[in-house]
C-alpha cells in the first residue's frame, strides 16, 4: 500500500540508519533513553513523510468540510435528526468539529488507526527492512515501543485534524458565538475551544487500546494488509457487540465501550468519570496486547 517513495525510503540502508539513530553508534547511550528518542524521532519523520499518512489525514479533514458544505447547500438539519449537535451548526459553527468527530469515531478513525498500527511490524517485514531495524542498538522490545509510540502520535494527529479543521471551516462558513453546553450553561468561545481540545484528547486516548491490538496483529504476519484489515474489523465487531443489549455484561470490557462518552466533557461542571474509566480500560488493553506483542516478537524468526 506504500508509494514508490515509501519503498525507496524504507530499504535496508535507511532501516539501518534508523536503527542507529542516523549517526555513529554510541555504546554509552545505546541502552538509554537517548537511543529510544533518536529511533522515535526517525520513526516519526518516516511516518509523517509518507504520502499515505497525509492522504489519511486529508481524508479525515474532508469529513468536517463535507458536513459544513452539505449544511450550506441543504439547509439546517431537523432538530433531533442525524448525529449529535448537527442541528446546532447553523447557529454556531464551532459545532462542526464536534459533529465531525462523532461521525468519524465509528468507522473513519478506526480505519486510519488500523492502517498505521497494522503496518507497524508487518510493513517492515514485507519490505525486507525488519532485520536491519533489529540490529543493535535498536532491539526488539525497543522497536515495539517506538512503533507503538508512533501509532499513538498518529492517533493524536488524526483527532486534532478533525477538530481543528472543523473549527476553522465552521468559523469561516457560519456564525460563531458562545456555546451552550448539554447542562444548559453557556460558556465563552475560548472555553469551548479548550473543551474541544479535551474531546480530541479523549478520542485519542480511546484509540490507544486499538493501536495495541493492531501492533500485536502486526507481529503475527508479514502481510500488512491482513493486519490492517483485522484491526479495523475488530473495531467494527466490538461496536456491534456493544450495541446488543443481550451482551450488556460484556460491554464494559469492550475497547470501544467509551468511545462516544465524550459528551461528558460538554457538561458544567465537566464529568471526568468517562475519561477516567476510558483511560483505565485502554491501559488494560495496552498492557495485555503489548505483552502479547512482546511475547510473539521475541520468539519470532525474522527472515526479512
Amino acid at each position: 500500500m506504500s508509494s514508490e517513495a515509501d519503498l525507496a525510503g524504507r530499504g535496508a540502508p535507511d532501516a539501518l540508519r534508523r536503527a542507529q539513530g542516523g549517526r555513529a553508534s554510541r555504546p554509552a547511550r545505546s541502552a538509554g533513553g537517548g537511543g529510544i528518542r533518536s529511533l522515535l524521532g526517525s520513526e516519526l519523520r518516516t511516518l509523517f513523510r509518507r504520502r499515505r499518512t497525509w492522504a489519511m489525514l486529508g481524508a479525515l479533514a474532508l469529513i468536517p468540510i463535507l458536513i459544513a458544505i452539505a449544511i450550506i447547500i441543504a439547509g439546517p438539519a431537523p432538530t433531533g435528526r442525524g448525529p449529535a449537535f448537527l442541528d446546532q451548526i447553523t447557529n454556531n459553527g464551532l459545532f462542526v468539529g464536534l459533529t465531525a468527530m462523532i461521525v468519524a469515531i465509528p468507522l473513519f478513525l478506526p480505519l486510519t488507526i488500523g492502517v498505521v498500527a497494522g503496518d507497524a511490524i508487518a510493513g517492515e517485514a514485507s519490505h525486507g527492512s525488519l532485520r536491519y531495524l533489529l540490529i543493535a542498538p535498536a532491539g526488539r522490545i525497543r522497536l515495539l515501543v517506538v512503533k507503538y509510540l508512533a501509532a499513538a502520535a498518529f492517533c493524536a494527529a488524526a483527532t486534532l485534524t478533525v477538530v481543528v479543521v472543523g473549527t476553522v471551516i465552521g468559523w469561516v462558513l457560519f456564525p460563531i458565538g458562545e456555546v451552550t453546553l448539554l447542562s444548559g450553561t453557556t460558556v465563552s468561545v475560548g472555553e469551548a475551544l479548550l473543551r474541544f481540545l479535551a474531546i480530541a484528547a479523549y478520542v485519542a486516548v480511546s484509540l490507544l487500546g486499538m493501536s495495541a491490538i493492531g501492533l500485536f496483529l502486526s507481529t503475527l504476519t508479514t502481510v500488512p494488509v491482513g493486519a490492517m484489515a483485522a484491526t479495523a474489523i475488530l473495531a467494527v465487531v466490538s461496536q456491534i457487540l456493544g450495541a446488543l443489549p443481550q451482551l450488556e455484561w460484556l460491554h464494559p470490557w469492550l475497547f470501544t465501550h467509551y468511545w462516544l462518552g465524550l459528551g461528558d466533557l460538554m457538561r458544567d461542571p465537566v464529568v471526568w468519570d468517562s475519561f477516567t474509566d476510558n483511560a483505565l480500560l485502554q491501559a488494560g488493553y495496552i498492557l495485555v496486547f503489548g505483552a502479547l506483542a512482546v511475547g510473539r516478537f521475541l520468539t519470532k524468526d525474522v527472515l526479512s
Side-chain angles (χ1 to χ4, degrees), residues 2-303:
S2 299
S3 64
E4 293 182 2
D6 292 338
L7 293 175
R10 296 184 58 173
D14 181 66
L16 183 56
R17 283 196 297 272
R18 277 197 282 159
Q20 295 177 334
R23 54 182 180 270
S25 177
R26 296 182 180 181
R29 296 184 58 190
S30 63
I36 290 182
R37 286 193 295 270
S38 298
L39 189 58
L40 177 60
S42 180
E43 182 65 28
L44 290 175
R45 287 192 295 272
T46 300
L47 175 63
F48 286 101
R49 283 175 180 170
R50 291 179 188 161
R51 295 176 184 175
R52 182 183 67 194
T53 300
W54 288 103
M56 291 189 296
L57 293 176
L60 292 173
L62 279 177
I63 296 173
I65 294 174
L66 291 175
I67 290 174
I69 293 175
I71 291 177
I72 288 291
I73 295 174
T79 302
R81 300 285 298 276
F85 306 107
L86 181 65
D87 56 346
Q88 301 187 43
I89 289 178
T90 52
N91 297 322
N92 195 333
L94 292 179
F95 284 106
V96 173
L98 186 54
T99 303
M101 183 67 76
I102 294 172
V103 170
I105 286 174
L107 179 61
F108 298 105
L109 281 170
L111 282 176
T112 58
I113 302 306
V115 169
V116 173
D119 185 63
I121 301 298
E124 300 287 359
S126 68
H127 294 131
S129 56
L130 183 56
R131 61 178 175 176
Y132 292 94
L133 285 173
L134 296 179
I135 295 176
R140 299 197 179 204
I141 295 179
R142 184 176 302 183
L143 180 61
L144 281 175
V145 171
V146 166
K147 289 290 186 179
Y148 181 77
L149 291 177
F154 181 82
C155 292
T159 56
L160 280 174
T161 295
V162 176
V163 168
V164 171
V165 173
T167 300
V168 171
I169 194 68
W171 205 303
V172 171
L173 297 181
F174 301 100
I176 293 295
E178 295 181 331
V179 172
T180 301
L181 304 177
L182 294 176
S183 55
T185 307
T186 300
V187 298
S188 65
V189 171
E191 182 176 342
L193 292 177
L194 290 176
R195 287 175 181 262
F196 292 162
L197 288 177
I199 287 173
Y202 178 94
V203 178
V205 169
S206 300
L207 297 168
L208 294 181
M210 179 184 173
S211 298
I213 294 173
L215 181 66
F216 167 63
L217 294 175
S218 188
T219 65
L220 300 178
T221 179
T222 59
V223 182
V225 174
M228 297 173 190
T231 305
I233 289 172
L234 283 176
V236 174
V237 170
S238 179
Q239 292 178 80
I240 293 174
L241 295 177
L244 298 177
Q246 296 88 342
L247 298 177
E248 188 173 357
W249 59 271
L250 180 63
H251 295 173
W253 301 96
L254 298 173
F255 65 92
T256 58
H257 181 62
Y258 294 102
W259 277 13
L260 294 175
L262 50 83
D264 287 345
L265 299 177
M266 293 294 291
R267 302 184 188 278
D268 186 30
V270 174
V271 178
W272 293 103
D273 292 352
S274 293
F275 201 118
T276 303
D277 292 341
N278 183 37
L280 291 174
L281 178 64
Q282 302 307 322
Y285 272 89
I286 292 170
L287 289 175
V288 171
F289 284 93
L292 290 174
V294 169
R296 166 60 180 167
F297 200 44
L298 288 179
T299 58
K300 182 183 179 71
D301 290 330
V302 178
L303 303 176

